[in-house]
Amino acid sequence: MEPLKVALLGSGSVGTQVARLLTTHAQELAQRVGAPLELVGIAVRRLDVDRGPGIDPALLTTDASELVKRADLVVELIGGIEPARTLILDALAAGASVVTGNKALLAEHGPELYEAADRGGVELYYEAAVAGAIPLLRPIRESLAGDRVRRVLGIVNGTTNFVLDKMDTAGLDLAEAVSQAQELGYAEADPTADVEGFDAAAKAAILASLAFHTRVHADDVHREGITTVTAGDVASAKAIGAVVKLLAICERTVAADGSEGVSVRVHPAMVPVAHPLANVRGAFNAVFVEAEAAGELMFYGQGAGGLPTASAVLGDLVSAARNRVGGSRGPGESTYAQLPLRPMGEVVTRYHISLEVADRPGVLATVAKVIAEHGVSIETVRQQQSPAAAPDATDDDRASLVVVTHSATDAALEATVSALAGLESVTAVVGVMRVEGED
Ligand code: HSE
Protein backbone atom coordinates (compact mmCIF):
# COMPACT_ATOMS: atom_id res chain seq x y z
CA MET A 1 0.00 0.00 0.00
CA GLU A 2 1.02 3.61 -0.63
CA PRO A 3 1.89 5.35 2.63
CA LEU A 4 -0.70 7.72 4.10
CA LYS A 5 0.75 11.19 4.56
CA VAL A 6 0.36 12.61 8.07
CA ALA A 7 0.76 16.32 8.85
CA LEU A 8 1.25 17.37 12.46
CA LEU A 9 0.27 20.90 13.46
CA GLY A 10 1.94 21.85 16.74
CA SER A 11 4.92 20.40 18.52
CA GLY A 12 4.14 20.91 22.20
CA SER A 13 4.08 18.18 24.82
CA VAL A 14 1.42 16.13 23.00
CA GLY A 15 2.68 16.77 19.45
CA THR A 16 6.21 15.71 20.35
CA GLN A 17 4.94 12.41 21.74
CA VAL A 18 2.71 11.81 18.70
CA ALA A 19 5.71 12.34 16.39
CA ARG A 20 7.85 10.02 18.51
CA LEU A 21 5.25 7.24 18.62
CA LEU A 22 4.65 7.50 14.86
CA THR A 23 8.33 6.67 14.42
CA THR A 24 8.90 4.11 17.16
CA HIS A 25 5.63 2.23 16.50
CA ALA A 26 5.72 2.65 12.73
CA GLN A 27 5.65 -1.06 11.89
CA GLU A 28 2.83 -1.96 14.25
CA LEU A 29 0.79 1.04 13.18
CA ALA A 30 1.24 0.09 9.51
CA GLN A 31 -0.06 -3.39 10.25
CA ARG A 32 -3.06 -2.09 12.16
CA VAL A 33 -3.92 0.44 9.49
CA GLY A 34 -3.08 -1.65 6.43
CA ALA A 35 -0.72 1.05 5.12
CA PRO A 36 2.30 2.89 6.50
CA LEU A 37 1.74 6.25 8.18
CA GLU A 38 4.35 8.69 6.92
CA LEU A 39 4.90 11.89 8.90
CA VAL A 40 5.45 14.45 6.11
CA GLY A 41 5.75 17.63 8.15
CA ILE A 42 5.39 19.29 11.53
CA ALA A 43 4.10 22.86 11.56
CA VAL A 44 5.67 25.02 14.26
CA ARG A 45 5.76 28.71 15.01
CA ARG A 46 9.56 28.89 15.25
CA LEU A 47 12.28 26.79 13.63
CA ASP A 48 15.06 27.83 16.01
CA VAL A 49 13.80 25.88 19.06
CA ASP A 50 15.43 22.56 19.97
CA ARG A 51 12.61 20.00 20.06
CA GLY A 52 14.59 17.02 21.29
CA PRO A 53 15.66 13.76 19.70
CA GLY A 54 12.10 12.56 18.83
CA ILE A 55 11.63 15.27 16.23
CA ASP A 56 13.40 15.22 12.84
CA PRO A 57 14.36 18.90 12.20
CA ALA A 58 13.96 18.28 8.45
CA LEU A 59 10.20 17.87 8.99
CA LEU A 60 9.70 21.26 10.62
CA THR A 61 7.96 24.01 8.71
CA THR A 62 6.35 27.32 9.59
CA ASP A 63 3.98 27.06 6.60
CA ALA A 64 1.05 25.17 8.11
CA SER A 65 -1.34 26.18 5.29
CA GLU A 66 0.87 24.57 2.67
CA LEU A 67 1.44 21.48 4.83
CA VAL A 68 -2.25 20.62 5.33
CA LYS A 69 -2.81 20.62 1.56
CA ARG A 70 -0.33 17.80 0.97
CA ALA A 71 -1.57 15.42 3.69
CA ASP A 72 -4.11 12.59 3.84
CA LEU A 73 -4.42 12.95 7.61
CA VAL A 74 -3.95 16.11 9.66
CA VAL A 75 -3.34 16.13 13.41
CA GLU A 76 -4.13 19.54 14.91
CA LEU A 77 -2.53 20.15 18.30
CA ILE A 78 -2.07 23.92 18.19
CA GLY A 79 -5.08 24.67 20.40
CA GLY A 80 -7.17 27.87 20.52
CA ILE A 81 -9.54 29.10 17.84
CA GLU A 82 -7.32 30.65 15.15
CA PRO A 83 -5.36 29.63 13.15
CA ALA A 84 -6.51 26.12 14.17
CA ARG A 85 -10.05 26.61 12.80
CA THR A 86 -8.93 27.83 9.37
CA LEU A 87 -6.27 25.15 9.05
CA ILE A 88 -8.74 22.39 9.93
CA LEU A 89 -11.34 23.76 7.49
CA ASP A 90 -8.68 23.94 4.76
CA ALA A 91 -7.53 20.40 5.50
CA LEU A 92 -11.08 19.02 5.40
CA ALA A 93 -11.81 20.91 2.18
CA ALA A 94 -8.64 19.49 0.65
CA GLY A 95 -9.83 15.96 1.42
CA ALA A 96 -7.77 15.17 4.54
CA SER A 97 -9.31 13.61 7.64
CA VAL A 98 -8.55 15.54 10.81
CA VAL A 99 -7.70 14.45 14.34
CA THR A 100 -7.73 17.21 16.94
CA GLY A 101 -7.53 17.64 20.68
CA ASN A 102 -8.93 21.16 20.54
CA LYS A 103 -11.86 21.27 22.98
CA ALA A 104 -12.36 25.04 22.82
CA LEU A 105 -12.64 24.96 19.04
CA LEU A 106 -15.06 22.02 19.05
CA ALA A 107 -17.27 23.56 21.73
CA GLU A 108 -17.39 26.85 19.77
CA HIS A 109 -17.36 25.70 16.14
CA GLY A 110 -18.12 21.96 16.17
CA PRO A 111 -21.03 22.11 13.67
CA GLU A 112 -18.98 24.12 11.15
CA LEU A 113 -16.16 21.56 11.33
CA TYR A 114 -18.54 18.62 10.98
CA GLU A 115 -20.21 20.23 7.96
CA ALA A 116 -16.81 20.76 6.34
CA ALA A 117 -15.92 17.10 7.00
CA ASP A 118 -19.20 16.02 5.37
CA ARG A 119 -18.60 18.23 2.36
CA GLY A 120 -15.08 16.83 1.97
CA GLY A 121 -16.30 13.23 2.49
CA VAL A 122 -13.70 12.88 5.24
CA GLU A 123 -13.60 12.39 9.01
CA LEU A 124 -13.19 14.45 12.15
CA TYR A 125 -12.05 12.75 15.36
CA TYR A 126 -11.31 14.33 18.73
CA GLU A 127 -11.01 11.73 21.50
CA ALA A 128 -8.06 13.69 23.00
CA ALA A 129 -10.23 16.77 23.52
CA VAL A 130 -11.97 15.36 26.59
CA ALA A 131 -10.28 13.54 29.48
CA GLY A 132 -6.90 12.98 27.80
CA ALA A 133 -6.05 9.32 27.52
CA ILE A 134 -9.41 8.04 28.72
CA PRO A 135 -11.44 6.38 25.96
CA LEU A 136 -14.70 8.25 26.57
CA LEU A 137 -16.06 9.90 23.42
CA ARG A 138 -15.89 6.75 21.31
CA PRO A 139 -17.75 4.66 23.95
CA ILE A 140 -20.46 7.32 24.16
CA ARG A 141 -20.73 7.81 20.39
CA GLU A 142 -20.31 4.20 19.28
CA SER A 143 -20.53 1.62 22.09
CA LEU A 144 -23.64 3.28 23.55
CA ALA A 145 -25.20 4.09 20.16
CA GLY A 146 -27.98 1.60 20.89
CA ASP A 147 -28.71 2.88 24.39
CA ARG A 148 -30.12 6.12 25.82
CA VAL A 149 -27.70 8.10 27.96
CA ARG A 150 -29.35 9.73 30.98
CA ARG A 151 -26.45 11.43 32.63
CA VAL A 152 -22.74 12.11 32.32
CA LEU A 153 -21.11 13.18 35.58
CA GLY A 154 -17.44 13.60 36.18
CA ILE A 155 -14.17 15.29 36.87
CA VAL A 156 -12.80 16.41 33.51
CA ASN A 157 -10.19 18.95 34.56
CA GLY A 158 -7.04 17.56 36.15
CA THR A 159 -5.56 20.91 37.20
CA THR A 160 -8.52 21.92 39.35
CA ASN A 161 -8.77 18.41 40.76
CA PHE A 162 -5.11 18.66 41.80
CA VAL A 163 -5.76 22.06 43.40
CA LEU A 164 -8.87 20.93 45.31
CA ASP A 165 -7.12 17.73 46.37
CA LYS A 166 -4.20 19.73 47.80
CA MET A 167 -6.63 21.98 49.67
CA ASP A 168 -8.26 18.88 51.12
CA THR A 169 -5.22 16.77 51.95
CA ALA A 170 -2.51 19.36 52.68
CA GLY A 171 -4.71 22.14 54.05
CA LEU A 172 -3.45 24.66 51.47
CA ASP A 173 -5.54 27.67 50.54
CA LEU A 174 -6.55 28.17 46.91
CA ALA A 175 -3.66 30.50 45.95
CA GLU A 176 -1.05 28.18 47.50
CA ALA A 177 -2.51 25.13 45.77
CA VAL A 178 -2.63 26.92 42.38
CA SER A 179 1.04 27.95 42.81
CA GLN A 180 1.97 24.37 43.53
CA ALA A 181 0.04 23.21 40.44
CA GLN A 182 1.99 25.77 38.38
CA GLU A 183 5.33 24.65 39.83
CA LEU A 184 4.54 21.05 38.90
CA GLY A 185 3.50 22.03 35.37
CA TYR A 186 -0.22 21.17 35.75
CA ALA A 187 -1.48 24.74 35.69
CA GLU A 188 -0.53 27.29 33.04
CA ALA A 189 1.14 30.59 34.01
CA ASP A 190 -2.33 32.05 33.36
CA PRO A 191 -4.56 29.43 34.99
CA THR A 192 -7.85 31.12 34.00
CA ALA A 193 -9.10 28.45 31.57
CA ASP A 194 -8.80 25.77 34.24
CA VAL A 195 -9.71 27.58 37.48
CA GLU A 196 -12.63 29.52 35.99
CA GLY A 197 -14.06 26.30 34.53
CA PHE A 198 -13.78 27.23 30.82
CA ASP A 199 -11.82 24.06 30.01
CA ALA A 200 -14.32 21.84 31.84
CA ALA A 201 -17.28 23.68 30.26
CA ALA A 202 -15.96 23.10 26.73
CA LYS A 203 -15.55 19.42 27.57
CA ALA A 204 -19.05 19.28 29.06
CA ALA A 205 -20.47 20.79 25.85
CA ILE A 206 -18.73 18.11 23.78
CA LEU A 207 -19.89 15.30 26.09
CA ALA A 208 -23.50 16.53 26.12
CA SER A 209 -23.59 16.93 22.33
CA LEU A 210 -22.54 13.32 21.85
CA ALA A 211 -24.57 11.86 24.71
CA PHE A 212 -27.86 13.54 23.81
CA HIS A 213 -27.58 13.90 19.99
CA THR A 214 -28.04 17.63 20.48
CA ARG A 215 -25.83 20.56 19.58
CA VAL A 216 -24.52 22.07 22.80
CA HIS A 217 -22.36 25.18 22.53
CA ALA A 218 -19.83 26.24 25.19
CA ASP A 219 -22.12 29.21 26.02
CA ASP A 220 -25.00 26.81 26.81
CA VAL A 221 -23.06 25.46 29.78
CA HIS A 222 -23.72 26.94 33.23
CA ARG A 223 -20.17 27.56 34.45
CA GLU A 224 -18.74 28.28 37.87
CA GLY A 225 -15.02 27.76 38.50
CA ILE A 226 -13.13 27.07 41.71
CA THR A 227 -11.92 30.61 42.42
CA THR A 228 -14.56 31.13 45.10
CA VAL A 229 -13.79 27.87 46.92
CA THR A 230 -12.26 28.63 50.31
CA ALA A 231 -10.36 26.58 52.85
CA GLY A 232 -13.54 27.00 54.95
CA ASP A 233 -15.64 25.30 52.24
CA VAL A 234 -13.20 22.40 52.14
CA ALA A 235 -13.35 22.12 55.95
CA SER A 236 -17.16 22.29 55.88
CA ALA A 237 -17.21 19.48 53.32
CA LYS A 238 -14.98 17.39 55.60
CA ALA A 239 -17.33 17.99 58.50
CA ILE A 240 -20.19 16.35 56.59
CA GLY A 241 -18.04 13.50 55.25
CA ALA A 242 -17.51 14.98 51.79
CA VAL A 243 -14.84 16.48 49.55
CA VAL A 244 -15.06 19.40 47.14
CA LYS A 245 -14.74 18.55 43.44
CA LEU A 246 -15.23 20.55 40.25
CA LEU A 247 -17.91 18.53 38.45
CA ALA A 248 -19.18 18.54 34.89
CA ILE A 249 -22.78 17.32 34.85
CA CYS A 250 -24.79 16.70 31.68
CA GLU A 251 -28.33 15.45 32.24
CA ARG A 252 -31.36 14.50 30.22
CA THR A 253 -34.28 16.15 32.00
CA VAL A 254 -37.97 15.26 31.87
CA ALA A 255 -40.54 17.98 32.64
CA ALA A 256 -43.91 17.36 34.32
CA ASP A 257 -45.57 17.22 30.87
CA GLY A 258 -43.10 14.52 29.78
CA SER A 259 -41.11 16.79 27.46
CA GLU A 260 -37.38 16.14 27.46
CA GLY A 261 -34.54 18.60 27.69
CA VAL A 262 -30.85 18.77 28.50
CA SER A 263 -29.02 20.60 31.26
CA VAL A 264 -25.26 21.05 31.21
CA ARG A 265 -23.32 22.58 34.07
CA VAL A 266 -19.86 22.88 35.58
CA HIS A 267 -19.47 23.94 39.20
CA PRO A 268 -17.77 22.95 42.44
CA ALA A 269 -19.77 20.56 44.59
CA MET A 270 -19.43 18.59 47.79
CA VAL A 271 -19.25 14.87 46.98
CA PRO A 272 -19.69 12.29 49.77
CA VAL A 273 -16.45 10.41 50.50
CA ALA A 274 -18.20 7.11 49.78
CA HIS A 275 -18.78 8.18 46.17
CA PRO A 276 -16.06 6.91 43.79
CA LEU A 277 -15.53 10.44 42.42
CA ALA A 278 -14.42 11.57 45.90
CA ASN A 279 -11.44 9.25 45.60
CA VAL A 280 -10.19 10.63 42.32
CA ARG A 281 -6.98 12.27 43.48
CA GLY A 282 -4.28 14.50 42.02
CA ALA A 283 -4.64 15.41 38.36
CA PHE A 284 -6.66 12.33 37.42
CA ASN A 285 -10.02 12.46 35.65
CA ALA A 286 -13.04 10.19 36.10
CA VAL A 287 -16.41 10.21 34.41
CA PHE A 288 -19.62 8.32 35.17
CA VAL A 289 -21.99 7.63 32.31
CA GLU A 290 -25.48 6.45 33.17
CA ALA A 291 -27.45 4.86 30.36
CA GLU A 292 -30.91 3.31 30.48
CA ALA A 293 -29.90 -0.22 29.52
CA ALA A 294 -26.21 -0.27 30.42
CA GLY A 295 -26.69 1.25 33.87
CA GLU A 296 -23.74 3.02 35.41
CA LEU A 297 -20.31 3.00 33.74
CA MET A 298 -17.14 4.57 35.10
CA PHE A 299 -14.16 5.79 33.08
CA TYR A 300 -10.96 6.68 34.93
CA GLY A 301 -7.42 7.66 33.98
CA GLN A 302 -4.99 10.41 33.09
CA GLY A 303 -6.83 13.42 31.72
CA ALA A 304 -3.78 15.36 30.58
CA GLY A 305 -0.07 15.03 29.87
CA GLY A 306 1.87 14.61 26.64
CA LEU A 307 2.16 10.83 26.44
CA PRO A 308 -1.32 9.88 27.73
CA THR A 309 -3.00 12.39 25.42
CA ALA A 310 -0.85 11.19 22.51
CA SER A 311 -2.36 7.73 23.04
CA ALA A 312 -5.85 9.14 22.34
CA VAL A 313 -4.56 11.05 19.29
CA LEU A 314 -2.89 7.94 17.86
CA GLY A 315 -6.05 5.89 18.42
CA ASP A 316 -8.03 8.40 16.36
CA LEU A 317 -5.33 8.54 13.74
CA VAL A 318 -5.39 4.76 13.30
CA SER A 319 -9.22 4.81 12.99
CA ALA A 320 -9.20 7.58 10.40
CA ALA A 321 -6.36 5.94 8.47
CA ARG A 322 -8.02 2.52 8.57
CA ASN A 323 -11.27 3.94 7.23
CA ARG A 324 -9.39 5.67 4.46
CA VAL A 325 -7.67 2.45 3.48
CA GLY A 326 -11.00 0.59 3.60
CA GLY A 327 -12.87 3.34 1.76
CA SER A 328 -15.34 3.79 4.62
CA ARG A 329 -16.34 6.62 6.97
CA GLY A 330 -17.05 6.50 10.69
CA PRO A 331 -20.06 8.21 12.28
CA GLY A 332 -20.53 11.92 11.61
CA GLU A 333 -22.30 14.48 13.77
CA SER A 334 -25.59 13.24 15.23
CA THR A 335 -27.96 16.02 16.28
CA TYR A 336 -31.34 14.57 15.36
CA ALA A 337 -32.74 14.89 18.92
CA GLN A 338 -31.94 18.60 19.26
CA LEU A 339 -33.34 18.65 22.80
CA PRO A 340 -33.94 22.10 24.31
CA LEU A 341 -31.37 23.37 26.79
CA ARG A 342 -32.89 23.82 30.25
CA PRO A 343 -31.79 26.75 32.45
CA MET A 344 -29.81 26.26 35.65
CA GLY A 345 -32.80 27.34 37.75
CA GLU A 346 -34.65 24.16 36.75
CA VAL A 347 -31.82 21.83 37.70
CA VAL A 348 -32.55 19.69 40.74
CA THR A 349 -29.72 19.69 43.24
CA ARG A 350 -28.97 20.04 46.96
CA TYR A 351 -27.32 22.88 48.86
CA HIS A 352 -24.91 23.02 51.78
CA ILE A 353 -25.54 26.40 53.43
CA SER A 354 -23.22 27.66 56.12
CA LEU A 355 -24.55 30.63 58.11
CA GLU A 356 -23.37 32.75 60.98
CA VAL A 357 -26.38 33.64 63.09
CA ALA A 358 -27.20 35.45 66.31
CA ASP A 359 -27.23 32.92 69.14
CA ARG A 360 -30.57 33.65 70.77
CA PRO A 361 -34.01 32.03 71.15
CA GLY A 362 -36.06 31.55 67.98
CA VAL A 363 -33.29 31.99 65.41
CA LEU A 364 -33.22 28.34 64.35
CA ALA A 365 -37.02 28.36 64.05
CA THR A 366 -36.89 31.50 61.86
CA VAL A 367 -34.25 29.98 59.59
CA ALA A 368 -36.24 26.74 59.29
CA LYS A 369 -39.42 28.69 58.52
CA VAL A 370 -37.77 30.62 55.64
CA ILE A 371 -36.42 27.38 54.18
CA ALA A 372 -39.87 25.73 54.43
CA GLU A 373 -41.57 28.75 52.84
CA HIS A 374 -39.50 28.15 49.71
CA GLY A 375 -40.67 24.54 49.48
CA VAL A 376 -37.22 23.28 50.44
CA SER A 377 -36.81 20.39 52.85
CA ILE A 378 -33.93 20.20 55.33
CA GLU A 379 -31.90 17.01 55.42
CA THR A 380 -29.57 17.90 58.29
CA VAL A 381 -28.94 20.92 60.44
CA ARG A 382 -25.95 21.40 62.70
CA GLN A 383 -25.45 24.26 65.09
CA GLN A 384 -22.46 25.12 67.18
CA GLN A 385 -21.50 28.14 69.14
CA SER A 386 -18.81 30.14 67.37
CA PRO A 387 -15.42 29.35 68.91
CA ALA A 388 -14.99 33.00 69.92
CA ALA A 389 -18.17 33.00 72.01
CA ALA A 390 -17.66 33.41 75.73
CA PRO A 391 -19.05 30.80 78.14
CA ASP A 392 -21.45 33.45 79.52
CA ALA A 393 -22.96 34.01 76.08
CA THR A 394 -25.25 36.99 75.62
CA ASP A 395 -27.76 37.83 72.88
CA ASP A 396 -24.91 39.34 70.89
CA ASP A 397 -23.04 36.08 70.59
CA ARG A 398 -22.90 34.21 67.34
CA ALA A 399 -23.43 30.62 66.35
CA SER A 400 -22.57 28.75 63.22
CA LEU A 401 -25.48 27.01 61.56
CA VAL A 402 -24.96 24.50 58.77
CA VAL A 403 -27.97 23.32 56.78
CA VAL A 404 -27.87 20.58 54.16
CA THR A 405 -31.04 20.46 52.10
CA HIS A 406 -32.86 17.70 50.32
CA SER A 407 -33.22 18.00 46.56
CA ALA A 408 -34.98 21.07 45.16
CA THR A 409 -34.65 23.21 42.07
CA ASP A 410 -31.63 25.45 41.94
CA ALA A 411 -33.97 28.45 41.63
CA ALA A 412 -35.77 27.54 44.87
CA LEU A 413 -32.47 26.95 46.66
CA GLU A 414 -30.99 30.22 45.42
CA ALA A 415 -34.10 32.12 46.50
CA THR A 416 -33.85 30.44 49.91
CA VAL A 417 -30.27 31.64 50.36
CA SER A 418 -31.24 35.21 49.36
CA ALA A 419 -34.08 35.20 51.87
CA LEU A 420 -31.81 33.83 54.59
CA ALA A 421 -29.21 36.50 53.83
CA GLY A 422 -31.91 39.13 54.38
CA LEU A 423 -32.84 37.93 57.87
CA GLU A 424 -31.86 40.23 60.69
CA SER A 425 -30.71 37.23 62.74
CA VAL A 426 -28.38 35.97 59.98
CA THR A 427 -25.14 37.91 60.38
CA ALA A 428 -23.31 36.27 57.46
CA VAL A 429 -23.78 33.68 54.74
CA VAL A 430 -20.39 32.04 55.19
CA GLY A 431 -20.59 29.58 52.30
CA VAL A 432 -23.00 27.99 49.85
CA MET A 433 -22.14 24.95 47.80
CA ARG A 434 -24.13 22.32 45.93
CA VAL A 435 -23.98 18.73 47.12
CA GLU A 436 -23.95 16.05 44.43
CA GLY A 437 -23.57 12.31 44.34
CA GLU A 438 -26.38 11.06 46.59
CA ASP A 439 -29.61 12.07 48.30
N1 HSE B 1 -5.82 21.72 31.42
C1 HSE B 1 -6.52 20.48 31.30
C2 HSE B 1 -6.65 19.84 32.66
C3 HSE B 1 -5.87 19.48 30.41
O1 HSE B 1 -6.08 20.33 33.62
O2 HSE B 1 -7.32 18.83 32.75
C4 HSE B 1 -6.21 19.69 28.98
O3 HSE B 1 -7.58 19.64 28.79
Side-chain angles (χ1 to χ4, degrees), residues 101 103 128-132 156-161 186-188 193-194 199-200 203 283-285 303-305 309:
K103 68 227 75 166
V130 182
V156 294
N157 183 271
T159 304
T160 47
N161 200 58
Y186 293 122
E188 305 282 336
D194 291 322
D199 176 83
K203 291 167 177 169
F284 275 76
N285 284 191
T309 309

Short mmCIF file of all heavy atoms in Angstrom, two decimals, residues 101 103 128-132 156-161 186-188 193-194 199-200 203 283-285 303-305 309, ligand 1:
data_model
loop_
_atom_site.label_atom_id
_atom_site.label_comp_id
_atom_site.label_asym_id
_atom_site.label_seq_id
_atom_site.Cartn_x
_atom_site.Cartn_y
_atom_site.Cartn_z
N GLY A 101 -7.28 17.71 19.25
CA GLY A 101 -7.53 17.64 20.68
C GLY A 101 -8.06 18.98 21.18
O GLY A 101 -8.00 19.28 22.37
N LYS A 103 -10.51 21.24 22.38
CA LYS A 103 -11.86 21.27 22.98
C LYS A 103 -12.55 22.61 22.81
O LYS A 103 -13.74 22.69 22.55
CB LYS A 103 -11.83 20.86 24.46
CG LYS A 103 -11.13 21.84 25.38
CD LYS A 103 -10.19 21.15 26.31
CE LYS A 103 -8.96 20.73 25.53
NZ LYS A 103 -7.83 20.34 26.30
N ALA A 128 -9.00 13.04 22.08
CA ALA A 128 -8.06 13.69 23.00
C ALA A 128 -8.60 14.98 23.59
O ALA A 128 -8.02 15.52 24.53
CB ALA A 128 -6.74 13.97 22.29
N ALA A 129 -9.72 15.48 23.04
CA ALA A 129 -10.23 16.77 23.52
C ALA A 129 -10.85 16.67 24.91
O ALA A 129 -10.93 17.67 25.63
CB ALA A 129 -11.26 17.33 22.53
N VAL A 130 -11.31 15.50 25.29
CA VAL A 130 -11.97 15.36 26.59
C VAL A 130 -11.31 14.22 27.37
O VAL A 130 -11.26 13.08 26.90
CB VAL A 130 -13.48 15.06 26.43
CG1 VAL A 130 -14.15 14.96 27.79
CG2 VAL A 130 -14.16 16.12 25.57
N ALA A 131 -10.82 14.54 28.55
CA ALA A 131 -10.28 13.54 29.48
C ALA A 131 -9.07 12.79 28.94
O ALA A 131 -8.89 11.60 29.21
CB ALA A 131 -11.39 12.58 29.91
N GLY A 132 -8.22 13.49 28.21
CA GLY A 132 -6.90 12.98 27.80
C GLY A 132 -6.90 11.58 27.27
O GLY A 132 -7.51 11.28 26.23
N VAL A 156 -13.42 16.39 34.83
CA VAL A 156 -12.80 16.41 33.51
C VAL A 156 -11.67 17.43 33.42
O VAL A 156 -11.16 17.69 32.35
CB VAL A 156 -13.86 16.68 32.40
CG1 VAL A 156 -14.83 15.53 32.30
CG2 VAL A 156 -14.58 18.01 32.62
N ASN A 157 -11.31 18.01 34.56
CA ASN A 157 -10.19 18.95 34.56
C ASN A 157 -9.21 18.54 35.66
O ASN A 157 -9.51 18.63 36.85
CB ASN A 157 -10.68 20.39 34.77
CG ASN A 157 -9.52 21.37 34.70
OD1 ASN A 157 -8.88 21.67 35.70
ND2 ASN A 157 -9.20 21.83 33.51
N GLY A 158 -8.03 18.09 35.21
CA GLY A 158 -7.04 17.56 36.15
C GLY A 158 -6.41 18.64 37.02
O GLY A 158 -6.12 18.42 38.20
N THR A 159 -6.22 19.84 36.45
CA THR A 159 -5.56 20.91 37.20
C THR A 159 -6.39 21.29 38.43
O THR A 159 -5.86 21.39 39.54
CB THR A 159 -5.38 22.14 36.29
OG1 THR A 159 -4.64 21.73 35.15
CG2 THR A 159 -4.66 23.25 37.00
N THR A 160 -7.69 21.51 38.22
CA THR A 160 -8.52 21.92 39.35
C THR A 160 -8.69 20.76 40.34
O THR A 160 -8.81 20.99 41.54
CB THR A 160 -9.90 22.41 38.88
OG1 THR A 160 -10.43 21.47 37.95
CG2 THR A 160 -9.81 23.78 38.25
N ASN A 161 -8.66 19.53 39.83
CA ASN A 161 -8.77 18.41 40.76
C ASN A 161 -7.53 18.34 41.64
O ASN A 161 -7.61 18.08 42.85
CB ASN A 161 -8.98 17.08 40.02
CG ASN A 161 -9.57 16.04 40.94
OD1 ASN A 161 -10.64 16.25 41.50
ND2 ASN A 161 -8.86 14.95 41.17
N TYR A 186 1.19 21.50 36.05
CA TYR A 186 -0.22 21.17 35.75
C TYR A 186 -0.94 22.42 35.27
O TYR A 186 -1.66 22.39 34.29
CB TYR A 186 -0.94 20.63 36.99
CG TYR A 186 -0.44 19.29 37.45
CD1 TYR A 186 0.05 19.11 38.75
CD2 TYR A 186 -0.45 18.19 36.61
CE1 TYR A 186 0.51 17.89 39.19
CE2 TYR A 186 0.02 16.95 37.03
CZ TYR A 186 0.49 16.81 38.32
OH TYR A 186 0.94 15.61 38.74
N ALA A 187 -0.77 23.51 36.04
CA ALA A 187 -1.48 24.74 35.69
C ALA A 187 -0.60 25.63 34.83
O ALA A 187 0.62 25.68 34.99
CB ALA A 187 -1.89 25.49 36.96
N GLU A 188 -1.23 26.33 33.90
CA GLU A 188 -0.53 27.29 33.04
C GLU A 188 -0.14 28.51 33.89
O GLU A 188 -0.71 28.73 34.96
CB GLU A 188 -1.47 27.79 31.94
CG GLU A 188 -2.11 26.71 31.11
CD GLU A 188 -1.16 26.15 30.07
OE1 GLU A 188 -0.21 26.87 29.69
OE2 GLU A 188 -1.33 24.99 29.68
N ALA A 193 -8.26 29.44 32.27
CA ALA A 193 -9.10 28.45 31.57
C ALA A 193 -9.46 27.29 32.48
O ALA A 193 -10.58 26.77 32.43
CB ALA A 193 -8.37 27.94 30.32
N ASP A 194 -8.53 26.89 33.32
CA ASP A 194 -8.80 25.77 34.24
C ASP A 194 -9.59 26.24 35.45
O ASP A 194 -10.67 25.70 35.73
CB ASP A 194 -7.48 25.13 34.69
CG ASP A 194 -6.78 24.40 33.54
OD1 ASP A 194 -7.48 23.77 32.73
OD2 ASP A 194 -5.55 24.47 33.47
N ASP A 199 -12.27 25.33 30.59
CA ASP A 199 -11.82 24.06 30.01
C ASP A 199 -12.86 22.97 30.26
O ASP A 199 -13.26 22.24 29.34
CB ASP A 199 -10.47 23.69 30.64
CG ASP A 199 -9.95 22.35 30.18
OD1 ASP A 199 -9.35 22.28 29.10
OD2 ASP A 199 -10.17 21.35 30.90
N ALA A 200 -13.33 22.88 31.50
CA ALA A 200 -14.32 21.84 31.84
C ALA A 200 -15.65 22.10 31.11
O ALA A 200 -16.33 21.15 30.69
CB ALA A 200 -14.54 21.81 33.35
N LYS A 203 -15.47 20.88 27.57
CA LYS A 203 -15.55 19.42 27.57
C LYS A 203 -16.97 18.96 27.83
O LYS A 203 -17.46 18.00 27.22
CB LYS A 203 -14.58 18.85 28.62
CG LYS A 203 -13.12 19.05 28.24
CD LYS A 203 -12.19 18.77 29.41
CE LYS A 203 -10.73 18.90 29.01
NZ LYS A 203 -9.82 18.88 30.16
N ALA A 283 -4.18 14.84 39.64
CA ALA A 283 -4.64 15.41 38.36
C ALA A 283 -5.44 14.40 37.53
O ALA A 283 -5.63 14.61 36.34
CB ALA A 283 -3.43 15.91 37.58
N PHE A 284 -5.90 13.34 38.17
CA PHE A 284 -6.66 12.33 37.42
C PHE A 284 -8.06 12.81 37.06
O PHE A 284 -8.59 13.74 37.69
CB PHE A 284 -6.73 11.02 38.21
CG PHE A 284 -5.52 10.15 37.99
CD1 PHE A 284 -4.32 10.47 38.62
CD2 PHE A 284 -5.56 9.07 37.14
CE1 PHE A 284 -3.18 9.70 38.41
CE2 PHE A 284 -4.43 8.30 36.91
CZ PHE A 284 -3.24 8.61 37.55
N ASN A 285 -8.64 12.19 36.07
CA ASN A 285 -10.02 12.46 35.65
C ASN A 285 -10.83 11.19 35.86
O ASN A 285 -10.29 10.08 35.84
CB ASN A 285 -10.09 12.78 34.15
CG ASN A 285 -9.61 14.18 33.78
OD1 ASN A 285 -9.80 14.61 32.65
ND2 ASN A 285 -9.00 14.90 34.70
N GLY A 303 -6.07 12.49 32.56
CA GLY A 303 -6.83 13.42 31.72
C GLY A 303 -5.96 14.44 31.01
O GLY A 303 -6.48 15.29 30.29
N ALA A 304 -4.67 14.39 31.22
CA ALA A 304 -3.78 15.36 30.58
C ALA A 304 -2.39 14.73 30.47
O ALA A 304 -2.19 13.57 30.83
CB ALA A 304 -3.74 16.65 31.41
N GLY A 305 -1.45 15.52 29.97
CA GLY A 305 -0.07 15.03 29.87
C GLY A 305 0.23 14.62 28.43
O GLY A 305 -0.65 14.12 27.73
N THR A 309 -2.12 11.77 26.43
CA THR A 309 -3.00 12.39 25.42
C THR A 309 -2.60 11.93 24.02
O THR A 309 -3.47 11.76 23.15
CB THR A 309 -2.95 13.94 25.55
OG1 THR A 309 -3.19 14.28 26.92
CG2 THR A 309 -4.00 14.61 24.69
N1 HSE B 1 -5.82 21.72 31.42
C1 HSE B 1 -6.52 20.48 31.30
C2 HSE B 1 -6.65 19.84 32.66
C3 HSE B 1 -5.87 19.48 30.41
O1 HSE B 1 -6.08 20.33 33.62
O2 HSE B 1 -7.32 18.83 32.75
C4 HSE B 1 -6.21 19.69 28.98
O3 HSE B 1 -7.58 19.64 28.79
#
